[in-house]
Amino acid sequence: MTIDGPGPWWSRRRSRIRAQWPTRLPGIRFCARGTLTYRAPAPLKTGGTAAARAAARLALDELGRGISERHMPEQLTTAQERLTLAAAHWHTSENTPDLWLKARITLMLTQQEADRAQRYQDAIREVTLQLAQEHERRERFRQAVFGTPDATRIWWLDRHLDDLDSLNWDVFKEKILPLVGAADDIQSKAERIAQTLLYVWEKLGDNPGHHARFITTVRAVLDQMGWNDALAWLAPGEPSAADSPESVRGDGGELRPVAEGGTAR
């Protein structure tokens, strides 16, 4: 786009402009009114005044739409100023370089379009408020209920006070407690350790040999770690692996089955 002179004044033409240009809000349009001044190139002049005026109006329409469609209805003043800066001085059209034009255009919103735009803004404000309230509610709920494991347990118990038979702590531990930010509290750790030990103990079954080997392994680990004070949890008189009728310790320290007659295989 250039800004050279448009030629002598007597070669210029003027035209009244009335148009509707879109805003960024679908269905809402700016009304454009003003005066278009233009100077057509020689090829357009041969087509007559109507052809030159059509070319100038199309160029102005392209310029005006390009500006107006980037603005919301409430940005009327900003759109007006940008249009004034772009159209108030002589310039050429990109599609028709020899066509010079300038325009003084006033943008406005009709009362009907302004009302429609206001209803849209009211709807957006209502939705935004609802989302903000919902976010605030969930955030406060998270802080109050899921801040600590104890608070979460109290909330879970409170939900079942009217029907304690339906209180399911397994569901709580599997589904609810992992959502707590500080779920690794002492009680939760103790419960997980207890569940692990219970699982191991159940896997041992009723086989006394399995029980003996498990106790012996625990004793050996505690002894190697220097935690002999923890041996108190093993009841005095618990059978060791060496006392089991199913196994005996060989020279290599491995547990081997006992053959009939007491001779190791």
Side-chain angles (χ1 to χ4, degrees):
M1 188 175 292
T2 62
I3 54 174
D4 296 332
W9 62 267
W10 44 264
S11 63
R12 304 167 190 171
R13 297 290 184 270
R14 289 189 178 183
S15 176
R16 291 283 183 180
I17 295 297
R18 295 175 65 91
Q20 290 184 330
W21 291 334
T23 67
R24 203 172 74 187
L25 183 59
I28 308 297
R29 296 163 294 182
F30 290 127
C31 288
R33 296 180 182 178
T35 302
L36 168 65
T37 305
Y38 59 95
R39 178 180 180 273
L44 282 177
K45 288 182 178 179
T46 59
T49 304
R53 182 171 61 247
R57 287 190 171 188
L58 286 174
L60 178 63
D61 188 73
E62 182 179 4
L63 174 65
R65 285 175 176 270
I67 294 174
S68 68
E69 66 186 4
R70 299 198 302 267
H71 296 80
M72 295 293 287
E74 62 270 19
Q75 296 176 303
L76 172 62
T77 301
T78 303
Q80 175 68 71
E81 291 174 348
R82 288 181 176 171
L83 178 62
T84 299
L85 289 174
H89 303 284
W90 286 106
H91 61 279
T92 59
S93 169
E94 294 182 357
N95 296 328
T96 313
D98 294 330
L99 174 66
W100 286 85
L101 67 151
K102 69 176 182 177
R104 295 187 179 277
I105 303 295
T106 300
L107 294 180
M108 64 187 71
L109 277 174
T110 65
Q111 187 61 48
Q112 180 181 6
E113 297 284 53
D115 291 342
R116 294 172 62 192
Q118 186 60 51
R119 288 196 296 270
Y120 171 82
Q121 291 296 334
D122 292 342
I124 290 295
R125 188 179 299 107
E126 180 67 22
V127 172
T128 303
L129 179 60
Q130 290 176 359
L131 292 176
Q133 290 175 336
E134 181 63 19
H135 175 76
E136 179 69 16
R137 184 191 69 80
R138 292 184 179 183
E139 183 63 20
R140 289 183 177 275
F141 178 80
R142 184 189 67 79
Q143 294 175 358
V145 174
F146 293 98
T148 64
D150 285 341
T152 309
R153 292 186 183 96
I154 293 173
W155 167 78
W156 185 252
L157 177 62
D158 182 68
R159 286 178 56 89
H160 298 82
L161 284 179
D162 295 335
D163 185 12
L164 291 179
D165 291 337
S166 65
L167 186 61
N168 190 327
W169 288 108
D170 290 335
V171 172
F172 173 82
K173 287 182 287 187
E174 294 175 5
K175 306 296 184 181
I176 305 299
L177 193 58
L179 302 177
V180 182
D184 288 333
D185 64 317
I186 295 177
Q187 182 172 342
S188 299
K189 291 180 179 178
E191 288 177 352
R192 287 197 294 271
I193 294 173
Q195 289 173 358
T196 302
L197 293 176
L198 179 61
Y199 169 80
V200 172
W201 197 258
E202 290 177 347
K203 294 292 286 186
L204 294 176
D206 297 329
N207 191 316
H210 289 174
H211 281 260
R213 283 193 293 273
F214 176 71
I215 296 298
T216 301
T217 301
V218 172
R219 286 181 182 274
V221 171
L222 294 177
D223 182 63
Q224 289 291 327
M225 298 300 294
W227 298 339
N228 293 323
D229 56 335
L231 293 173
W233 75 274
L234 293 173
E238 285 281 359
S240 65
D243 298 331
S244 171
E246 292 190 358
S247 60
V248 67
R249 193 175 288 276
D251 293 339
E254 296 181 355
L255 298 177
R256 297 178 180 176
V258 178
E260 293 181 5
T263 303
R265 292 179 184 174

